[in-house]
Amino acid sequence: MTTSAITAARRTGAVLFDSVTKSYGTVRAVDGLTFALHPGETVALLGPNGAGKSTTLDLLLGLRPADSGTVEVFGTTPREAVVAGRIGAMLQSGGLMEDVTVRELVELACALHPRPYPVDQVLTRAGLAQIAGRKVNKLSGGQEQRVRFALATAGDSDLIVLDEPTTGMDVTSRQDFWATMREQAAAGRTVLFATHYLEEADAIADRVLVLHRGRLLADGTAAEIKAKAGARKVSFDLDTAVDEAALRALPAVGSLEISGRTVRLRSHDADATVHALYATGLYPHNLEVAGLGLEQAFVALTQAEEARTA
Ligand SMILES: Nc1ncnc2c1ncn2[C@@H]1O[C@H](COP(=O)(O)OP(=O)(O)OP(=O)(O)O)[C@@H](O)[C@H]1O
Ligand SMILES: [Mg+2]
């Protein structure tokens, strides 16, 4: 980001990370991270295990101090934003209070929020109305996740931060969860969520941040991330015997897979590959050229970075 973009984000942004670094001993979990989130955006935070997602969210919530750099939330420190009830959060770890019922825990979260919603509304929205009387330590994993979600949405917060919110939820719970989050986003809230479910990021996020070893590897819409990964899938059938060496010699070809007379390859310049294919005198049938899915793009980007930094 440029200096003027950082100044603008400081004035109007929801979240600003400016050159933020955080180490645990010798492990640099967050390494010079700079990004801004705009109010009303829904942003997915992706990255392999250990990339620094949870640490980033902890810094954003003021749960840990940064070693250097600044974190601002709506122009204030994270702590001030939390105290003012501007952030609702759902963390990846951390136990829930044990010997209380679901309703009691939600009541407590509502009581602590400066602008709480009615307890019954929070319970219903999180799909907890039927099990409100149950002890928190008797819940299944997916039910616990719903309780965490209820705690994150106990009041009218401007920013909702979610660390792997749907892990352990069944399909219906996940769908209900994201329908609720879409309502929250439509009401103008900023939503930042870490996830390993790339289809969720693809379907829900306006923008995707890819972290790798504490650094920002990519920042853009899902379509931009796919384009950045560069590769296209090219597949076709041949009516003559397949000459593997000739196919490998085509320009821009990455991986190559042959099964009978069907060829599937990856190309970082599909136009060049296909033109050269015709020029060699081969006649492909059923030619298909397709972009990568977000999941494949993510794998391609992170593997390329691994190879570059190895
Ligand atoms: N409390 C801690 N003490 C020491 N090291 C830590 C601590 N928390 C995280 N780390 C290390 O910091 C790095 C980043 O961890 P972090 O939890 O932020 O990753 P993550 O992207 O959330 O991973 P995951 O997808 O597995 O949740 C990892 O190498 C991790 O081992
Ligand atoms: Mg994590």
Side-chain angles (χ1 to χ4, degrees):
M1 283 174 74
T2 61
T3 317
S4 62
I6 289 174
T7 309
R10 194 156 268 144
R11 239 183 7 255
T12 61
V15 172
L16 174 67
F17 270 59
D18 184 3
S19 314
V20 176
T21 295
K22 175 75 190 174
S23 298
Y24 301 106
T26 56
V27 177
R28 192 167 275 209
V30 168
D31 190 3
L33 197 55
T34 299
F35 67 88
L37 303 186
H38 312 294
E41 270 187 322
T42 297
V43 180
L45 189 58
L46 308 182
N49 291 136
K53 302 181 296 298
S54 295
T55 305
T56 300
L57 300 184
D58 286 355
L59 292 166
L60 176 56
L61 296 169
L63 296 173
R64 300 175 191 281
D67 298 336
S68 62
T70 49
V71 180
E72 287 180 27
V73 184
F74 300 112
T76 68
T77 64
R79 199 132 281 283
E80 285 170 308
V82 168
V83 170
R86 300 199 74 177
I87 314 183
M90 181 169 170
L91 297 180
Q92 183 173 20
S93 53
L96 297 168
M97 237 185 259
E98 293 245 313
D99 201 28
V100 295
T101 65
V102 170
R103 172 179 288 278
E104 285 164 345
L105 191 57
V106 170
E107 278 172 353
L108 178 63
C110 290
L112 290 172
H113 201 288
R115 295 185 303 281
Y117 293 124
V119 172
D120 284 308
Q121 186 184 323
V122 176
L123 287 167
T124 304
R125 193 168 43 203
L128 293 169
Q130 311 296 321
I131 54 170
R134 215 172 285 177
K135 285 274 165 65
V136 166
N137 56 357
K138 296 276 167 13
L139 301 178
S140 73
Q143 290 168 337
E144 264 185 34
Q145 281 297 82
R146 285 195 241 160
V147 172
R148 290 201 171 90
F149 171 56
L151 303 182
T153 54
D156 179 12
S157 303
D158 302 303
L159 170 66
I160 302 179
V161 175
L162 309 155
D163 198 353
E164 300 191 25
T166 57
T167 300
M169 284 188 192
D170 64 31
V171 178
T172 316
S173 301
R174 282 168 70 181
Q175 284 171 349
D176 292 349
F177 174 85
W178 286 117
T180 309
M181 286 324 299
R182 279 206 182 90
E183 285 166 23
Q184 301 281 317
R189 293 186 178 82
T190 311
V191 179
L192 176 63
F193 67 101
T195 188
H196 289 293
Y197 296 115
L198 276 79
E199 70 280 10
E200 288 186 342
D202 208 353
I204 285 133
D206 304 317
R207 187 174 153 205
V208 174
L209 303 179
V210 181
L211 275 190
H212 183 264
R213 298 209 185 133
R215 295 189 191 177
L216 200 57
L217 191 58
D219 174 358
T221 62
E224 285 164 351
I225 304 284
K226 291 174 199 170
K228 184 172 174 163
R232 295 269 184 286
K233 292 181 286 189
V234 180
S235 66
F236 50 87
D237 298 325
L238 294 174
D239 52 15
T240 51
V242 175
D243 178 350
E244 187 176 337
L247 292 173
R248 285 209 187 277
L250 294 172
V253 171
S255 62
L256 176 68
E257 197 188 299
I258 297 165
S259 112
R261 291 194 171 170
T262 299
V263 177
R264 289 187 195 86
L265 58 82
R266 287 272 182 92
S267 166
H268 57 264
D269 184 348
D271 292 342
T273 305
V274 172
H275 280 134
L277 180 64
Y278 282 105
T280 56
L282 291 171
Y283 289 100
H285 304 286
N286 305 323
L287 178 68
E288 276 183 33
V289 179
L292 299 186
L294 186 60
E295 181 151 337
Q296 291 159 320
F298 171 79
V299 170
L301 280 176
T302 48
Q303 283 180 348
E305 183 65 11
E306 287 288 333
R308 202 182 66 77
T309 54

